[in-house]
Amino acid sequence: MYDNILNAHLDTLKQSGSYRYFLNVQKSAQSFPEFTFEDADGHQKTALNWCSNDYLCMSLDADVLQSLVRVAEESGVGAGGTRNISGTTVHHNRLESCLANLHGTESALIFGSAFMANLGALGTLGKAFPGCIILSDERNHASMIEGIKLARCDKQIFRHNDAEHLESLLRELPLERPKIIAFESLYSMAGTIAPIQEFVRLAKRYNALTYVDEVHAVAVYGRGGAGLVEEHVGEGQVDMINGTFAKGFGTLGGYIASRALFIDYVRSFAPSFIFTTSLPPALCAATLTSVEKVRSQSGLQEAYQAHVRSFRRILREHSVPFDDNPSHITRIFIGNAARCKAIADILLHEHGAYLQPINFPTVPEGEECLRLTVTLRHSEAQMRHLASALAQTLDSVSSSSI
Ligand SMILES: Cc1ncc(COP(=O)(O)O)c(C=O)c1O
């Protein structure tokens, strides 16, 4: 009985075209973004990765790698305990100080991932204040939604990036009622950017806290990679920032940065912080090197944005349609799961261009898309190759029967 039920669910998913097939990527630090993979017939093939979040290629950085190896040799691999039970080392503390410094906050707290940080922070903050209500952008990431569920407080959803709608909801709430406005500074799938200044203004006016997921913005925007909040409103203007090490900083793990009191509260009550083994010391050391290196390279964020602009210019030259959003994430809207997969399959197998089709539940059904990310290691010749492959493939698949 149990197997039949699970199989029926999986069959439905397969029929919808949203079933997930993972490509076995043989990532190479030397030749990234080129990698090898084995196709269905067992043949070794090469392709270029166009969907990595390692925007600045910090996962490949020699100094980051050296820190990882050096501290692993010194301290061993695993931390061997939760933060409370022998799992806090000098490397954890140094990284937290560096993050607080990066965001100009009093304190910071690291988690196993930004997913866990969103669960822990939203889940505990929403519970902390009697009668609290969380106002959440309709496009917020699954980890924020799960965190809000854990808080078990009231919630209201506002239309994506719509300050007017948010204000209409806030206006109806008593000023003294505790409220948290939860949003992402940069939406990872559509590449849209929140009206951060407006949201902060509304929060002040209506006595709300602000919680901002900057996962796709840290390292890539703001002074020294401090993110979009720093770029749009400066330090100290939002109540809590959530960031990751796993994208622009190229390692693994997540964090929150905030006032010391808020950090102490989350540290003391969040199950996803308390009841899990802390990050390996070597990973903290490698991440510290990455954050410090990103911070110290002046012009890095501008150089990356210039690279993104070149990429988009080349796409335009090849008449490849994409959303003209203000971020580094380039989305090609497809709107159908089967077509999206067919396009991605042709790109991979016929052109050696790897773009993961983005489907439900990452995006709502009917909003399937190709999400393109260019990294600092993609050359102009590689961009031209992709643009030409996309132009041909989009054309052939839109005129076919799928
Ligand atoms: C907006 C957003 N928040 C949080 C996360 C979780 O980050 P992490 O990979 O560090 O768990 C992601 C990851 O994809 C994300 O896109």
Side-chain angles (χ1 to χ4, degrees), residues 53 112-118 140-144 184 186-189 213-216 242-247 252-255 371:
N53 291 324
S113 68
F115 195 108
M116 284 159 74
N118 273 334
N140 276 344
H141 189 256
S143 54
M144 299 177 80
E184 295 176 34
L186 165 50
Y187 286 80
S188 60
M189 291 301 140
D213 177 316
E214 287 244 67
V215 159
H216 288 271
N242 166 296
T244 189
F245 308 135
K247 309 201 194 281
L252 181 75
Y255 65 95
R371 175 182 180 271

Side-chain angles (χ1 to χ4, degrees), residues 180-206:
I180 302 170
I181 302 172
F183 61 99
E184 295 176 34
S185 59
L186 165 50
Y187 286 80
S188 60
M189 291 301 140
T192 47
I193 290 179
I196 303 171
Q197 216 170 7
E198 267 297 278
F199 286 178
V200 167
R201 187 185 66 76
L202 291 176
K204 290 192 170 142
R205 177 157 183 200
Y206 292 95

Side-chain angles (χ1 to χ4, degrees), residues 122-143:
L122 284 166
T124 46
L125 286 178
K127 264 199 201 117
F129 309 108
C132 183
I133 177 161
I134 300 183
L135 297 114
S136 172
D137 187 290
E138 67 179 338
R139 290 298 163 106
N140 276 344
H141 189 256
S143 54

